[in-house]
Amino acid sequence: GRNSANTTHLADICRQESIPVYHIETAEEISLDWFVGIEKVGVTAGASTPDWIVDQVVERIRLITTGVTPSPVPEAHLIKMAS
């Protein structure tokens, strides 16, 4: 979430690399405009972020970028950062 030190640190690391960063708490906060002209998207989450929230975010991104509702994301493709 927005108050998580771990998640905020992950966002800051991405910003240092000049990567556009959107620090969100739910999939509903994702904007279609963020993906105009974008070829690659990464998702990070702090250790305390529930897997179901990460899953919803990944699903919404896939829906926005492909127009297809995806099958569940295999856990092997998700990276969870420890605090």
Side-chain angles (χ1 to χ4, degrees):
R2 282 188 230 300
N3 298 321
S4 164
N6 190 19
T7 303
T8 300
H9 182 63
L10 291 169
D12 289 341
I13 290 170
C14 293
R15 281 187 192 99
Q16 290 172 6
E17 298 299 319
S18 299
I19 297 169
V21 174
Y22 302 97
H23 188 162
I24 63 169
E25 290 187 334
T26 67
E28 289 77 26
E29 296 176 61
I30 297 171
S31 173
L32 298 172
D33 298 341
W34 297 350
F35 301 94
V36 175
I38 300 298
E39 294 181 15
K40 294 182 182 181
V41 176
V43 176
T44 64
S48 62
T49 304
D51 289 341
W52 64 268
I53 290 179
V54 177
D55 292 343
Q56 286 181 351
V57 166
V58 170
E59 182 174 332
R60 176 138 168 86
I61 291 169
R62 283 195 180 150
L63 181 60
I64 288 170
T65 59
T66 67
V68 176
T69 303
S71 56
V73 178
E75 284 192 33
H77 292 120
L78 298 176
I79 299 173
K80 192 84 164 182
M81 302 298 288
S83 45

